[in-house]
């Protein structure tokens, strides 16, 4: 899995597809989301603001009122692409090895991501 925590990604399928977003419909702007956690073993990611489920929490401890909380549920990594700030789009990533150091690059423009 090429995506890790704190990466910026673009959702390409499902209801959170960037093409359904207001940014895209109004301005043709691709919305990038931050990866909150990555689970390479299961090929899943938790992405900020994506696949948000609403849970009703029972009153407990300090939170005596309980209430509704929003939680991001994990999605498959195949549903997203890495966001390239230079292309301003979701892109395929590759690796470049230079002086024995491996860096992740955008396959489109060659920028490091
Ligand atoms: Zn690029």
């Amino acid at each position: 899995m090429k995506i890790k925590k704190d990466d910026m990604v673009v959702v390409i399928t499902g209801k959170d597809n960037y093409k359904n977003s207001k940014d895209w419909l109004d301005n043709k702007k691709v919305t990038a989301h931050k990866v909150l956690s990555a689970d390479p073993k299961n090929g899943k990611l938790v992405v900020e603001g994506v696949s948000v489920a609403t849970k009703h929490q029972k009153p407990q401890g300090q939170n005596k009122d309980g209430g509704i909380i929003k939680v991001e549920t994990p999605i498959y990594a195949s549903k997203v692409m890495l966001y390239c700030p230079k292309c301003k789009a979701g892109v395929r990533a590759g690796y470049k090895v230079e002086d024995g150091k491996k860096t992740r690059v955008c396959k489109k423009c060659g920028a490091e991501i």
Side-chain angles (χ1 to χ4, degrees), residues 83-92 105-113:
Y83 178 77
C84 171
K86 224 173 153 188
C87 298
K88 292 188 169 43
V91 295
R92 269 178 222 288
V105 294
C106 166
K107 276 195 175 171
K108 217 163 153 189
C109 71
E112 275 183 34
I113 22 180

Side-chain angles (χ1 to χ4, degrees), residues 5-24:
K5 187 176 180 285
D6 293 331
D7 278 345
M8 295 304 285
V9 295
V10 176
V11 182
I12 51 164
T13 61
K15 72 174 170 68
D16 293 306
N17 188 333
Y18 74 92
K19 287 194 169 164
N20 294 332
S21 79
K22 207 171 153 21
D23 279 347
W24 178 259

